[in-house]
Each structure stands twice: as structure tokens, then as C-alpha cells.
Amino acid sequence: MATHRFDPNFTDNVVNAMGPKTEPRFRQLMTSLIRHVHDFARENEVTVDEWMAGVQLMNWAGQMSNDKRNEGQLVCDVIGLESLVDEITFKLAEEAEDAPTATAILGPFFRADTPYRKNGENIVKGVPDGEMAFMHGRVIDFTTKKPLVGATVEVWQAATNGLYEQQDPNQEEFNLRGKFKTDEEGRYYFYCLRPTPYPVPDDGPAGKLLKLMDRHPFRPAHIHIIATHDGYKPLTTQIFDRKDQYLTNDSVFAVKDSLIVDFVPREGDSQAGLELNYDVKLVPAQPSSTNGV
């Protein structure tokens, strides 16, 4: 007769405590989560002190998070969870239709209140040591290849000191950020920095986890993009400089081959010596047949 060190019925009791009004998808997710977490605790014989250390880390992440920095999201990033969920989401979309522009993680430094700018504006203020680039492209319908007029392209990037503007009191608010509307040809264009690599902040739980796991903190040089248009699925992605040294070992595992881009020399422009041509492909939205959580 088999014996158990721990109550063999405990996990089933917790799962079965969910009531009949629990939404099916939520029940599926919570059942799996409870079973995996309980199995993890039993397999590793997690002690109260170790569990409490994990709770304190989650509390710390929450206390640090605000509308300018999401430390809880950054913790998920350094253990690869956000990139894995992004891969799953993109794969499901890819199986449902031909692959659009690849997605990538949102990251912890998105700001919902970024202002609109005019096409052709320079989003760089007070960064004298960076290489200037002219970034331009079109937003198009993935299926028809027709340009999308009035689409929004939102971008943000870190300065050459490795800091986003909300981390750095010496940068102007909304520096290196902007939202742009595509013109009658579906085009967007603006001046930005050639991105540079930077380390994940080490002042919070995400940085502490990296140190405990003896991992480097660096992210490869990238620019964040969110593209939206009425009637289309919103796209959140990042693009990465092909010449960056951290492409193969990104600290948050977000690099995809199709998101690696080339900055090329730009002639006859006094504002920028480089340019990047990058088209964004959006997929028409389909009515959802499933309920969200």
C-alpha cells in the first residue's frame, strides 16, 4: 500500500472548492495553476521561510510598480514568462492565419499617456552622444498589402545612458517617445536614436533575481513599437539592431529573428547619418468566440 508524506487529497480539495459559477476558462487556468504550484512546493519541499521570501519579493515588486514602471512585469521578464506567453500568443495567431509582423513583449517602461507628435519630428532631446537615425515605413494590411491611413505608431526607447526618461531626472518628460499617425500613403516617419544595449535595473526584485541566478542583466539594443488601427488587431513588438552583441542572450529572451533590423547610412540629411525602413503589417480583427478571464 502506497504511503504519502503529505496529504494526498489536499490539492484536489483546493481545486474542488471552486463553485459552479466559476467561468470555464478561469476554472481551467486556476486548476492548472493550483496543481503546478502545489506540485512545485511538494517536489522541492518548500519551507515557510522560502515561501515567505517569495511573497516578500512579489510584495516588493508591487510596491515599486506605478504608471511609469511595472516591476512585477519585469520579474516575469527575467524568468522568461512574458516572452513565453508572447510566443504562445503569436503562434496561435500564426496558426489561425499567415504570420503578420512578429510580436514581442511590452516591457515594464511603457507609458499610456505618451503624446502624439507630427510625422518628421525629432523625439530625441538632450542626448549628445547618440547616433541619430531617421526611422520610416508604412503600416499596411497584412492580407491586401494596402496602406492603412490614420494608423497609430507608438514608439519608445532608452537613452544612451541605459535609462528610459521616467527613470532619469535629467531627461525631459516623454523624451524618446512619441505617437505618430500614418499619412494618406500609410507612412510614418521621425528622427530617433540608433538604440544601444542597457542593463535591467538592479534596484528591485528583478535585478536581485538576476544576481541570484548569476546572469548578466543586459538587453540588446531595441526600439519598442505599438501599432493600432480601427478594425485591426493591435500589435506590440520590438525591433533589434543586427549589430548588437546581446542578440543571442537577451536577459528577457525577447529576440526573434524576424525582428532584427539593419540601420543603413543616410545621405544628405543634416539631422541623421543613419536610417531604418520598417513596415508594420496588421491583421484584421476577428470577433472573439471565447470569453476572457
Side-chain angles (χ1 to χ4, degrees):
M1 182 176 179
T3 60
H4 298 272
R5 293 187 64 201
F6 308 108
D7 182 354
N9 300 313
F10 181 77
T11 298
D12 284 340
N13 290 338
V14 175
V15 169
N16 293 334
M18 285 186 281
K21 294 181 181 179
T22 306
E23 194 273 329
R25 175 61 173 170
F26 188 68
R27 181 187 297 276
Q28 176 188 353
L29 293 173
M30 287 307 301
T31 297
S32 181
L33 175 64
I34 291 165
R35 292 195 184 282
H36 280 289
V37 169
H38 286 204
D39 286 344
F40 167 81
R42 281 187 289 261
E43 177 185 342
N44 294 282
E45 297 186 359
V46 174
T47 66
V48 169
D49 287 344
E50 290 169 334
W51 165 74
M52 184 53 69
V55 170
Q56 290 171 344
L57 185 141
M58 290 191 293
N59 290 344
W60 184 14
Q63 290 158 1
M64 289 190 68
S65 297
N66 53 38
D67 61 353
K68 295 183 179 180
R69 171 175 176 174
N70 192 327
E71 186 69 14
Q73 190 168 359
L74 189 55
V75 169
C76 291
D77 289 347
V78 300
I79 64 172
L81 181 58
E82 187 176 5
S83 288
L84 175 59
V85 171
D86 172 71
E87 179 190 8
I88 292 167
T89 303
F90 182 70
K91 176 58 70 173
L92 292 173
E94 188 179 40
E95 291 171 350
E97 66 238 340
D98 292 332
T101 300
T103 56
I105 63 174
L106 179 67
F109 296 109
F110 168 73
R111 291 191 64 174
D113 52 350
T114 295
Y116 279 93
R117 300 178 186 266
K118 293 181 180 179
N119 277 318
E121 277 196 52
N122 185 346
I123 67 172
V124 184
K125 296 290 189 295
V127 187
D129 58 341
E131 290 185 88
M132 290 297 299
F134 181 70
M135 181 171 170
H136 60 100
R138 296 186 306 156
V139 179
I140 61 175
D141 182 299
F142 173 71
T143 303
T144 67
K145 312 305 179 189
K146 292 182 178 179
L148 297 178
V149 178
T152 295
V153 176
E154 180 172 358
V155 298
W156 66 102
Q157 62 179 147
T160 52
N161 64 359
L163 300 175
Y164 290 88
E165 51 86 16
Q166 69 265 53
Q167 299 174 274
D168 186 358
N170 294 320
Q171 290 187 52
E172 292 186 18
E173 190 166 24
F174 301 113
N175 189 36
L176 298 167
R177 296 177 182 271
K179 292 179 180 176
F180 300 88
K181 286 283 190 182
T182 57
D183 63 16
E184 295 302 313
E185 297 179 5
R187 300 179 303 166
Y188 71 91
Y189 46 98
F190 59 91
Y191 289 92
C192 63
L193 288 176
R194 181 180 197 162
T196 52
Y198 64 84
V200 168
D202 63 1
D203 58 343
K208 181 176 181 178
L209 276 177
L210 285 173
K211 290 179 182 177
L212 289 171
M213 293 186 288
D214 191 27
R215 285 173 42 197
H216 80 77
F218 281 92
R219 294 228 54 216
H222 62 279
I223 299 173
H224 291 267
I225 300 173
I226 294 179
T228 58
H229 191 281
D230 289 344
Y232 288 80
K233 295 179 181 179
L235 173 74
T236 300
T237 194
Q238 301 177 25
I239 51 177
F240 300 88
D241 188 341
R242 188 178 304 278
K243 294 186 177 180
D244 191 271
Q245 62 181 311
Y246 295 106
L247 287 178
T248 59
N249 58 350
D250 179 7
S251 62
V252 305
F253 312 99
V255 178
K256 296 182 176 78
D257 288 345
S258 63
L259 297 178
I260 298 173
V261 299
D262 293 291
F263 289 82
V264 300
R266 180 172 174 81
E267 304 295 337
D269 189 334
S270 61
Q271 293 191 68
L274 297 170
E275 70 175 287
L276 171 65
N277 185 357
Y278 190 76
D279 288 346
V280 177
K281 304 168 186 176
L282 296 184
V283 173
Q286 300 294 332
S288 177
S289 59
T290 58
N291 294 323
V293 173

